[in-house]
Amino acid sequence: MVQIVKVRCEYLKNPLGIDVLHPRISWQIQSEERGIQQQAYQLQVSLEPEFGQVLWDSGRNDTGQSVHVVLDQIELKARTRYFYRVKVWACGQQLEGSDWSETAYFETGIMDYSQWTAEWISAPSVLAAREEDAERCPLLRTFVTVEKTVKSARIYATALGMYELQWNGNRIGDHYFTPGWTSYGKRLQYQVYDVTEQLGVGTHAIGALLGNGWYKGELGWTQKKETYGSRAALLFQLHIGYEDGTEDVVVSGNDWQATGSAILMSEMYHGERYDARLELEWHSGQATDSDVWHSVEIITHSKSMITQQVNEPVRPAEILKPIAVLQTPEGDTVLDFGQNMVGWVKFEVEGAAGHVVELQHAEVLDQAGNFYMGNIRKAEQRIQYTLKGKGKETFEPHFTFQGFRYVLLTGFKAPILLEAFSGIVLHSDMERTGFFECSDAKVNQLHHNIVWGQKGNFVDVPTDCPQRDERLGWTGDAQMFIRTASYVMNVAPFFTKWLLDLKADQTPEGGIPFYIPNLKPEFSEGWGDTSHSSAAWGDAAVICPWTLYEAYGDTRLLEAQYDSMNQWIQYIFEQGSDPYLWNTGFHFGDWLGLDSKADSYVGATDRDFVATAYYAYSVSLVAKAAKALGKAADLERLALWHEKIIAAFQHEFLTPSGRLSVPTQTAQVLALRFGLVSGTAKEKAEHKLAELLKEQNDHLTTGFVGTPYLNPVLSEAGRNDLAYRLLLQEDYPSWLYQITKGATTIWEHWDGIKEDGSFWSADMNSFNHYAYGAIGEWLYSYVAGIQPDEEQPGFKHVKISPQPGPGLTWAEARLMTMYGMVVSSWRLNEAGQMEIQVTVPGNAYATLKLPGAQSAARVLENGTALAKAAGITAIHEEAGSVTLALGSGQYHFTYDGH
């Protein structure tokens, strides 16, 4: 029996605020049978959940497409809910096809910015006239009276700064840090809230807290503020539809009032100060006199950049309880949450009015066991709460977040009760899709750390670190980690949003800023005369869209970014005197490479080598994008361009004998990964890489550029044994060294904590910095062997080639793809047999290479000869290897593992 599950619109479940003219629908097919392939589908759209009247019916559409099916024959109206359902016909099924899927819906938003009739409103300057009120967050309010039965009610809102909406004193929705961080002058996302249930007959109070956020708060390490603007403001529109068919619209305007809130200061880096004595029963009309409430001010600001929210919002994802209360040698009281996390602490406290308690947040304790803030730099990460003195009080922050494991408590009365504190984990609400486990507990902890590094740094933008005075969307970190990220979670909406900002912030010449969203040039220090376009960082413009295309089959995203991709490589082309080498400008090089010179962050690999290598790689990927999008003329031009870069690279960096002239691990890795050497030169590079590793006793010296590709290159070169040795090393430098030091996230430096317990330099020593977590790609795609096929992207065709190696006796990865769950598991059992278990989702197919299988005749599938097993459509033997073509279903293979 075939079932239709996980019906989605633009990756999202029942989204509100879809402003795409032709949204896309996807679904998954489940069946206990093997070899299920969709032959046709029928899609219906209605304005009613019961489908009493069908607005549009595709009829039977004879195609196997089940991902990104475009609704291109419906003219959508703004602020309208559309219900949809799907049924399919699959091979071997009855003529009537499957049952209908569960009914899903999407709802359109404003769609046209000219339909915003609301005004931008801000607190009047008189509220901040006193010095003690200068940083106070304003509270805006209005009242709405409902006299008829409400059928539907939607709020459409955004802000300059951050906002939190309240209704009769209660928080509206579970979106945090709204409207998110974008290139505000060019793109500003708005949010939609369904408040139908709250809006009964009577008078209601609507409130909005405003915070500095990323818009006007402190950003970067230079302690500058007002990056995008100097005034927080709200744009609010409430549409009320009544049962009698009439409608009212409540908008932000000069009838709103403003006052100071109990939040005396809120900054992303520094935390919040909150005085509960200043709380008002604002929703009951308390304190209506002009000394407290003032008319808001209308400010002039464009609405033309307002756009739909394409990504999932930041939400509270889970709650961690502290595992211990510590008394440090210095006498401090410190909570240990047992996990380096990102979010904030919700706490309960009781005491006299005016009593102040503080929480300060840090990642680690020093070697003596004392609370350590050195690596946080100038970020205070401090929450200060003044009690109102009315029994038990509960507090959690509003417009800030912290990166921490340890919390220093000040002012809390003994005894400290663990149950009074909760760590609220906050991150973009991405669906968890990847799961990896193996026979080595330390490797499992490494995977855990990768996952938590992604959670902590994917807070609306892909930040480099979540705790110190930085937290920027560094392009290099993002492109290095994106393939791992796409295994661990569904990051398509997250990166779609970020790439739109990258495209918006691209310079007129095609350059790419170091971080997205970009800051003002004066916010950067130490980069010479530029703040954009380093090799491997700017290449995020190409690598990220292509990776998402491979992982999700998203042609629309690739099309949207295609011009940006071309502009980037054209920018490189126009640098310097030789258009096929990149040997000009500022480059970070192999950042934090261990082979760097003293007092340098840049590894020993020649920066021109790195730049030209990435240049070639990006041009090759744009050529692949051209092919995927059917741009034949571009493909021909780009293919020739790529050939010329390779020729120039080889002329510049290959010796007459065919060796790379740059003798570093990273140089060999990049040349091999990017296909810059072939034949004898390729063999020499592979040999040199192994030789360089041997010189380091099988340890790496690579930095941010070389590390992500190191293990994949070794596995592709037939040196899986060496790749496994690198993975399983436990002394410095290695991934597992961090585990031996108690890491629960990925570190910025291989030796963030040294053998003696001392720290690497405090100026740049994050303990939650996901770049080196890129080893996760190798765990999924080589150890477990799950890889996409660029010719059939989105895992329509799954390439499964697990590569067991010394040190592990079993490994398993599960990956929720657009088509469903893919599983690849291998185990060397006690009898010396290899067991391979594979799951291929419905409407997909796989090619499985059985590791170490010498003959198909010796392989059994659930005790049956391969030739008789259902779902196996082809068997191929070659040079002692066995490859199978599989339809959907679950399989269990056993054979002699020697």
Side-chain angles (χ1 to χ4, degrees):
M1 179 179 177
V2 167
Q3 285 186 304
I4 310 303
V5 298
K6 290 198 71 170
V7 182
R8 297 290 186 265
C9 175
E10 294 297 331
Y11 299 99
L12 307 175
K13 181 179 181 180
N14 299 336
L16 303 180
I18 292 292
D19 285 355
V20 179
L21 291 177
H22 301 297
R24 299 167 298 170
I25 306 300
S26 301
W27 58 88
Q28 294 178 3
I29 298 173
Q30 288 185 350
S31 175
E32 293 182 356
E33 300 179 44
R34 290 180 176 178
I36 293 296
Q37 288 287 322
Q38 176 183 301
Q39 294 180 325
Y41 72 81
Q42 183 178 2
L43 190 58
Q44 289 184 342
V45 180
S46 175
L47 296 176
E48 305 168 350
E50 300 82 10
F51 286 80
Q53 289 186 328
V54 176
L55 180 66
W56 176 76
D57 191 329
S58 70
R60 176 173 169 138
N61 195 325
D62 292 318
T63 173
Q65 185 180 2
S66 60
V67 171
H68 304 312
V69 175
V70 181
L71 295 180
D72 57 0
Q73 297 182 34
I74 309 176
E75 186 174 343
L76 300 179
K77 297 180 180 180
R79 299 186 294 104
T80 303
R81 178 168 291 190
Y82 294 90
F83 299 90
Y84 65 98
R85 62 184 183 180
V86 65
K87 67 184 297 185
V88 303
W89 288 262
C91 54
Q93 298 302 298
Q94 296 179 347
L95 294 177
E96 61 267 24
S98 71
D99 292 337
W100 287 106
S101 67
E102 289 186 357
T103 298
Y105 65 82
F106 65 89
E107 186 171 305
T108 53
I110 295 289
M111 297 192 79
D112 180 356
Y113 80 87
S114 66
Q115 298 305 304
W116 285 94
T117 57
E119 301 279 2
W120 289 104
I121 59 173
S122 181
S125 55
V126 65
L127 289 180
R130 297 188 307 169
E131 184 177 350
E132 59 266 35
D133 293 330
E135 296 296 324
R136 194 171 177 181
C137 292
L139 170 64
L140 314 181
R141 75 171 183 182
T142 194
F143 294 92
V144 57
T145 299
V146 176
E147 299 177 341
K148 297 183 289 187
T149 303
V150 173
K151 182 179 181 180
S152 68
R154 301 290 185 273
I155 292 173
Y156 305 90
T158 189
L160 308 176
M162 286 184 182
Y163 73 92
E164 177 187 304
L165 296 179
Q166 297 181 5
W167 192 284
N168 294 332
N170 299 311
R171 195 183 199 282
I172 295 176
D174 59 357
H175 297 33
Y176 285 73
F177 309 140
T178 49
W181 189 6
T182 53
S183 179
Y184 293 116
K186 303 159 189 171
R187 297 184 63 256
L188 177 63
Q189 296 192 147
Y190 74 93
Q191 291 71 47
V192 184
Y193 306 89
D194 183 348
V195 292
T196 307
E197 297 299 319
Q198 291 98 315
L199 203 61
V201 173
T203 298
H204 302 270
I206 302 169
L209 285 167
L210 296 182
N212 290 347
W214 295 289
Y215 182 78
K216 67 184 291 278
E218 185 173 315
L219 282 180
W221 52 89
T222 56
Q223 297 184 289
K224 291 183 172 63
K225 301 180 70 171
E226 299 183 356
T227 309
Y228 303 98
S230 60
R231 197 160 189 182
L234 176 73
L235 190 69
F236 175 98
Q237 210 156 293
L238 167 63
H239 289 255
I240 308 171
Y242 299 104
E243 289 286 357
D244 64 6
T246 60
E247 182 180 86
D248 280 334
V249 182
V250 178
V251 300
S252 50
N254 55 19
D255 57 330
W256 286 56
Q257 297 174 303
T259 191
S261 73
I263 306 173
L264 300 180
M265 182 279 293
S266 184
E267 283 284 350
M268 301 299 289
Y269 297 164
H270 302 311
E272 278 187 10
R273 293 200 312 273
Y274 189 93
D275 190 339
R277 297 171 300 176
L278 301 176
E279 291 176 347
L280 295 173
E281 293 292 329
W282 62 268
H283 50 284
S284 64
Q286 174 195 6
T288 57
D289 61 274
S290 59
D291 289 339
V292 176
W293 291 97
H294 304 262
S295 295
V296 299
E297 292 181 4
I298 306 296
I299 69 168
T300 301
H301 195 279
S302 175
K303 302 170 190 171
S304 63
M305 80 293 293
I306 298 176
T307 184
Q308 72 169 57
Q309 178 157 336
V310 299
N311 59 322
E312 288 280 19
V314 174
R315 289 189 173 103
E318 56 196 292
I319 299 174
L320 299 183
K321 300 299 290 187
I323 62 173
V325 179
L326 309 175
Q327 295 298 320
T328 71
E330 293 180 347
D332 292 326
T333 300
V334 174
L335 292 177
D336 178 5
F337 278 86
Q339 170 65 52
N340 196 352
M341 59 165 282
V342 172
W344 58 52
V345 176
K346 181 178 181 179
F347 61 90
E348 296 176 350
V349 65
E350 193 169 359
H355 181 71
V356 177
V357 296
E358 284 189 358
L359 299 84
Q360 197 164 15
H361 304 73
E363 294 187 289
V364 292
L365 303 178
D366 67 18
Q367 62 191 123
N370 291 309
F371 190 75
Y372 176 73
M373 287 284 291
N375 71 313
I376 308 299
R377 300 195 309 212
K378 298 171 185 174
E380 293 183 12
Q381 292 214 126
R382 186 192 311 272
I383 301 298
Q384 185 183 87
Y385 179 81
T386 303
L387 280 69
K388 56 188 170 186
K390 296 182 178 180
K392 186 176 292 185
E393 304 175 38
T394 302
F395 180 74
E396 58 184 321
H398 300 80
F399 303 124
T400 185
F401 63 85
Q402 289 80 50
F404 65 97
R405 171 174 172 171
Y406 299 96
V407 179
L408 173 65
L409 302 179
T410 304
F412 287 86
K413 296 177 181 178
I416 300 298
L417 302 178
L418 294 181
E419 58 267 27
F421 300 88
S422 298
I424 310 300
V425 179
L426 293 161
H427 59 76
S428 292
D429 190 16
M430 303 162 289
E431 177 191 4
R432 178 76 183 273
T433 54
F435 305 85
F436 177 89
E437 201 172 5
C438 70
S439 57
D440 190 295
K442 289 187 176 68
V443 175
N444 293 337
Q445 181 66 41
L446 171 63
H447 183 264
H448 168 98
N449 294 2
I450 292 168
V451 173
W452 276 87
Q454 185 166 341
K455 289 178 182 180
N457 282 290
F458 280 39
V459 181
D460 208 63
V461 301
T463 58
D464 58 324
C465 59
Q467 73 298 93
R468 68 188 182 213
D469 53 351
E470 191 165 356
R471 312 185 193 187
L472 303 176
W474 283 94
T475 49
D477 302 57
Q479 69 86 0
M480 293 160 196
F481 187 71
I482 187 171
R483 194 169 291 274
T484 295
S486 69
Y487 278 108
V488 173
M489 299 178 186
N490 184 339
V491 293
F494 178 87
F495 273 109
T496 297
K497 173 256 189 184
W498 187 74
L499 285 169
L500 289 170
D501 286 301
L502 181 147
K503 183 178 181 179
D505 280 343
Q506 194 164 10
T507 72
E509 301 80 18
I512 302 295
F514 295 156
Y515 25 72
I516 300 293
N518 195 19
L519 308 183
K520 296 176 182 177
E522 58 266 30
F523 279 52
S524 299
E525 284 184 352
W527 315 131
D529 60 354
T530 184
S531 60
H532 64 83
S533 304
S534 166
W537 273 248
D539 293 286
V542 172
I543 295 170
C544 291
W546 178 253
T547 302
L548 296 175
Y549 172 74
E550 282 193 299
Y552 304 104
D554 196 331
T555 305
R556 180 177 286 180
L557 182 147
L558 196 63
E559 181 75 59
Q561 297 299 131
Y562 184 71
D563 286 346
S564 171
M565 297 164 75
N566 271 288
Q567 288 167 19
W568 168 244
I569 58 174
Q570 186 64 36
Y571 170 86
I572 302 172
F573 180 85
E574 293 171 359
Q575 305 302 302
S577 58
D578 187 336
Y580 303 110
L581 288 174
W582 196 4
N583 51 17
T584 59
F586 171 85
H587 300 286
F588 291 103
D590 191 24
W591 189 249
L592 301 184
L594 296 177
D595 52 6
S596 62
K597 295 179 181 179
D599 301 320
S600 173
Y601 293 137
V602 181
T605 305
D606 186 273
R607 295 195 207 194
D608 294 350
F609 183 104
V610 172
T612 302
Y614 265 95
Y615 180 22
Y617 185 46
S618 279
V619 171
S620 74
L621 294 186
V622 179
K624 289 183 177 183
K627 180 181 178 182
L629 297 174
K631 300 178 183 294
D634 282 3
L635 175 59
E636 183 177 353
R637 171 180 59 86
L638 290 160
L640 180 60
W641 188 350
H642 184 236
E643 289 177 6
K644 290 183 177 180
I645 297 173
I646 291 179
F649 174 89
Q650 292 179 350
H651 181 266
E652 185 77 6
F653 297 110
L654 269 185
T655 68
S657 65
R659 294 182 182 275
L660 290 170
S661 61
V662 181
T664 66
Q665 292 181 15
T666 290
Q668 318 306 308
V669 166
L670 293 185
L672 291 167
R673 181 68 171 187
F674 297 162
L676 303 176
V677 288
S678 59
T680 302
K682 179 173 180 287
E683 293 174 2
K684 289 183 176 181
E686 292 171 346
H687 178 77
K688 181 64 174 179
L689 177 58
E691 184 181 83
L692 290 168
L693 288 166
K694 185 177 181 180
E695 290 175 2
Q696 299 297 320
N697 295 316
D698 294 339
H699 288 76
L700 51 75
T701 60
T702 50
F704 275 31
V705 164
T707 300
Y709 304 127
L710 177 55
N711 278 39
V713 160
L714 289 170
S715 292
E716 289 291 337
R719 292 306 310 270
N720 216 38
D721 59 325
L722 188 47
Y724 269 78
R725 283 205 295 277
L726 284 173
L727 172 71
L728 298 174
Q729 298 283 16
E730 295 187 11
D731 57 337
Y732 166 81
S734 67
W735 286 279
L736 299 191
Y737 169 76
Q738 301 174 17
I739 309 303
T740 68
K741 291 298 183 182
T744 60
T745 43
I746 301 296
W747 296 353
E748 182 175 17
H749 288 270
W750 296 109
D751 59 343
I753 299 176
K754 297 181 180 296
E755 289 283 6
D756 64 0
S758 62
F759 296 123
W760 200 87
S761 173
D763 64 344
M764 200 172 67
N765 196 21
S766 164
F767 292 99
N768 193 351
H769 214 95
Y770 59 75
Y772 289 140
I775 186 65
E777 176 203 347
W778 183 75
L779 297 177
Y780 283 96
S781 60
Y782 290 90
V783 176
I786 301 174
Q787 297 185 13
D789 178 0
E790 65 185 49
E791 299 295 333
Q792 292 284 318
F795 293 94
K796 171 69 173 178
H797 174 218
V798 190
K799 297 191 290 185
I800 305 178
S801 181
Q803 297 193 28
L808 298 184
T809 57
W810 64 270
E812 176 179 295
R814 292 175 289 137
L815 177 65
M816 178 60 74
T817 71
M818 295 295 291
Y819 292 89
M821 185 65 77
V822 173
V823 179
S824 174
S825 171
W826 60 266
R827 179 182 299 270
L828 190 63
N829 65 28
E830 294 179 357
Q833 288 185 312
M834 181 64 73
E835 296 184 48
I836 303 290
Q837 295 190 57
V838 168
T839 299
V840 183
N843 206 31
Y845 64 100
T847 300
L848 169 64
K849 185 173 182 179
L850 295 171
Q854 299 298 308
S855 168
R858 298 181 181 179
V859 180
L860 298 179
E861 196 285 308
N862 273 323
T864 302
L866 293 182
K868 297 181 179 180
I872 301 176
T873 58
I875 303 170
H876 181 70
E877 291 184 278
E878 183 179 78
S881 67
V882 177
T883 302
L884 308 176
L886 306 178
S888 66
Q890 297 181 3
Y891 301 84
H892 186 181
F893 302 95
T894 56
Y895 54 93
D896 186 349
H898 295 294

